[in-house]
């Protein structure tokens, strides 16, 4: 049984960029956060390994005490290109080091149960939900049950029907039939719970690989790469 879960998240981008690490226990399906660290800023995700070390020390999880994590759960996107790379690498490396599984979770997968509950409480039927999060300037990431995509706000074409729209950038894609929801980003318990569902086979497998829906900003030099050394 998975009892100790290390959660890592470096996905938030733009003004919402941050890095998060937490130690979460699972006791008969009841999740509890033992240790939590979060730092804001666009470079914070690159320091996730340090944040992970701090929460592990705070929780008292170590080989010496015989209480290393049974599972590492990492948010794989969509989100910050650098943040996803750093957090997924840290998650995969730590899992290999202690010999435990690592599971990837997207933002919308983690929020889905809460969003489904909000939909079910609506007095009139709705087409579904969208999770809208920050991307590059003038663009946002949109995730639904089918997956994630990057959208240019100026070219946005609203879907048919009434939709529940969540995420920190929900107001950027407001349309007449949208119902804006204050839910923005999954908490560490939601990420851990989703990872456990994935481990049970309730969700399709997903490893610690970033979900990239935007091409990288770096471009090849106009004259091409320099020749390899002889």
């Amino acid at each position: 049984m998975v009892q100790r879960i290390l959660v890592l998240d470096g996905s938030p981008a733009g003004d919402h960029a941050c890095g998060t690490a937490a130690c979460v226990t699972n006791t008969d399906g009841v999740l509890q956060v033992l240790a939590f660290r979060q730092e804001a800023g666009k470079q914070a995700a690159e320091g996730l390994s340090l944040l992970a070390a701090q929460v592990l020390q705070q929780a008292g999880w170590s080989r010496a005490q015989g209480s290393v994590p049974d599972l590492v759960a990492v948010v794989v996107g969509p989100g910050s290109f650098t943040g996803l790379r750093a957090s997924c690498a840290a998650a995969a490396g730590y899992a290999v080091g202690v010999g435990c599984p690592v599971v990837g979770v997207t933002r919308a997968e983690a929020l889905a149960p809460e969003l489904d509950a909000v939909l079910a409480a609506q007095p009139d039927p709705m087409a579904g939900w969208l999770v809208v999060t920050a991307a590059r300037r003038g663009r946002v990431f949109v995730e639904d049950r089918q997956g994630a995509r990057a959208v240019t706000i100026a070219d946005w074409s609203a879907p048919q029907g009434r939709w529940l729209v969540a995420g920190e950038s929900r107001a950027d894609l407001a349309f007449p039939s949208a119902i804006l929801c204050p839910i923005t980003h999954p908490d560490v318990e939601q990420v851990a719970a989703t990872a456990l569902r994935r481990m049970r086979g309730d969700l399709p497998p997903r490893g610690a690989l970033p979900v990239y829906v935007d091409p990288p900003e770096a471009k090849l030099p106009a004259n091409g790469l320099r020749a390899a050394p002889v």
Side-chain angles (χ1 to χ4, degrees):
M1 177 181 175
V2 175
Q3 296 179 312
R4 294 178 294 272
I5 307 166
L6 173 64
V7 176
L8 300 178
D9 183 7
S11 63
D15 294 338
H16 304 276
C18 64
T20 302
C23 291
V24 180
T25 58
N26 173 32
T27 306
D28 297 326
V30 178
L31 300 178
Q32 180 180 2
V33 179
L34 283 189
F36 178 89
R37 288 280 287 118
Q38 184 176 79
E39 287 192 6
K42 294 183 179 181
Q43 307 303 318
E46 298 178 29
L48 265 176
S49 294
L50 176 59
L51 295 183
Q54 291 172 344
V55 295
L56 289 167
Q57 182 179 25
Q58 184 180 345
W61 293 0
S62 67
R63 285 189 182 278
Q65 300 187 38
S67 56
V68 297
D70 304 308
L71 174 66
V72 179
V74 59
V75 178
V76 294
S80 161
F81 183 85
T82 301
L84 294 182
R85 255 192 331 179
S87 54
C88 288
Y94 189 83
V96 169
V98 300
C100 73
V102 59
V103 171
V105 173
T106 73
R107 297 200 210 188
E109 285 175 337
L111 289 175
E114 185 177 4
L115 294 173
D116 288 342
V118 175
L119 281 182
Q122 297 299 310
D124 299 315
M126 300 188 71
W129 47 255
L130 303 173
V131 178
V132 183
T133 51
R136 298 175 188 170
R137 187 179 301 275
R139 291 167 68 80
V140 291
F141 298 121
V142 179
E143 191 177 1
D144 56 21
R145 295 186 190 279
Q146 282 66 53
R149 59 195 182 278
V151 171
T152 301
I153 296 172
D155 298 334
W156 166 249
S157 179
Q160 297 294 317
R162 297 172 66 246
W163 289 81
L164 184 71
V165 183
E168 74 264 11
S169 298
R170 60 194 178 280
D172 292 340
L173 287 189
F175 48 99
S177 58
I179 305 299
L180 298 186
C181 174
I183 297 170
T184 56
H185 191 79
D187 58 34
V188 293
E189 295 101 317
Q190 289 172 315
V191 174
T194 305
L196 289 173
R197 292 200 302 273
R198 179 149 275 142
M199 289 287 290
R200 292 195 300 264
D202 298 338
L203 295 173
R206 187 188 293 276
L209 296 175
V211 174
Y212 292 140
V213 291
D214 244 345
E217 291 183 325
K219 300 183 184 302
L220 291 175
N223 297 326
L225 299 175
R226 67 181 180 181
V230 177

